[in-house]
């Protein structure tokens, strides 16, 4: 089992490639989030949901401990290079979401990789972020229906992006990337 927990160079390089691609996407979402927050703040959860992508792709493809957290941190660093002012947000989000994804995977001792496990992780991430944002964004300013939709979209966003991440991870696995990332 000690060999299973070792992180090879090829696994790290795969995490880096996924992190760079998703980090650029996160930087784009960060730029878009200002416009969404100002123009249609109720939709913010859909944009913020993109932050689950690094860990989902890495875990689906590699199915190993620590790949979600490593990939999230790389994505956070890449996004921070694009928007240095937000380094705290990107790294904090990487630690929070990557950590939650690792905890959910660790509960099965990194042996369960069915889609439901990823979607459970997405719901947990959505609820945790919705709770944090609830106070920061003063969601009580919305009417009750708006509060419900706002919170629901913070769960739906990560769930939708998880489906995208699973599709990407599966496509990479079919292309043989996982076989090249052993060790």
């Amino acid at each position: 089992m000690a060999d299973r927990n070792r992180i090879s160079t090829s696994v790290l390089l795969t995490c880096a490639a996924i992190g760079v691609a998703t980090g650029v996407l996160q930087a784009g979402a960060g730029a878009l989030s200002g416009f969404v927050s100002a123009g249609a703040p109720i939709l913010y959860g859909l944009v913020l949901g993109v932050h689950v992508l690094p860990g989902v792709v890495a875990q689906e493809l590699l199915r190993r401990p620590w790949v979600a957290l490593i990939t999230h941190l790389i994505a956070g660093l890449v996004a921070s290079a694009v928007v240095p002012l937000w380094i705290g947000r990107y790294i904090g989000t990487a630690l929070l979401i990557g950590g939650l994804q690792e905890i959910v995977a660790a509960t099965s001792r990194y042996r369960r990789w069915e889609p439901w496990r990823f979607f459970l992780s997405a719901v947990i991430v959505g609820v945790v972020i919705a709770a944090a944002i609830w106070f920061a964004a003063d969601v009580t300013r919305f009417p009750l229906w708006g509060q419900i939709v706002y919170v629901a979209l913070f769960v739906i966003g990560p769930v939708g992006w998880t489906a995208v991440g699973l599709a990407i991870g599966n496509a990479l696995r079919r292309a043989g990337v996982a076989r090249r990332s052993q060790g």
Side-chain angles (χ1 to χ4, degrees):
M1 190 63 162
D3 186 52
R4 176 84 174 137
N5 291 324
R6 193 177 118 261
I7 300 175
S8 70
T9 303
S10 64
V11 167
L12 289 174
L13 288 171
T14 303
C15 290
I18 296 166
V20 168
T22 56
V24 169
L25 187 61
Q26 287 178 354
L32 182 64
S33 69
F35 296 110
V36 171
S37 292
I42 205 162
L43 301 177
Y44 186 55
L46 294 176
V47 176
L48 198 61
V50 74
H51 288 281
V52 301
L53 207 51
V56 172
V57 174
Q59 286 184 330
E60 173 60 19
L61 175 63
L62 300 169
R63 299 181 179 191
R64 300 178 61 81
W66 301 112
V67 297
L69 191 58
I70 292 166
T71 306
H72 271 285
L73 287 171
I74 293 167
L77 290 171
V78 169
S80 297
V82 176
V83 189
L85 184 64
W86 290 356
I87 189 169
R89 290 182 188 179
Y90 286 124
I91 299 301
T93 301
L95 290 171
L96 174 67
I97 296 175
L100 287 171
Q101 289 172 329
E102 289 291 343
I103 289 168
V104 171
T107 60
S108 69
R109 300 170 80 185
Y110 295 96
R111 293 184 182 146
R112 306 289 309 237
W113 300 106
E114 296 88 1
W116 68 263
R117 204 243 351 123
F118 289 94
F119 289 114
L120 173 62
S121 177
V123 169
I124 292 169
V125 165
V127 168
V128 168
I129 292 176
I133 296 289
W134 180 272
F135 299 104
D138 187 26
V139 177
T140 57
R141 73 180 190 263
F142 297 128
L144 180 60
W145 70 266
Q147 294 174 29
I148 293 168
V149 170
Y150 192 85
V151 171
L153 291 179
F154 267 95
V155 176
I156 292 168
V159 168
W161 283 104
T162 294
V164 170
L166 288 173
I168 292 168
N170 281 325
L172 291 170
R173 181 175 284 286
R174 284 191 312 272
V177 173
R179 284 190 300 275
R180 294 183 204 120
S181 299
Q182 300 300 312

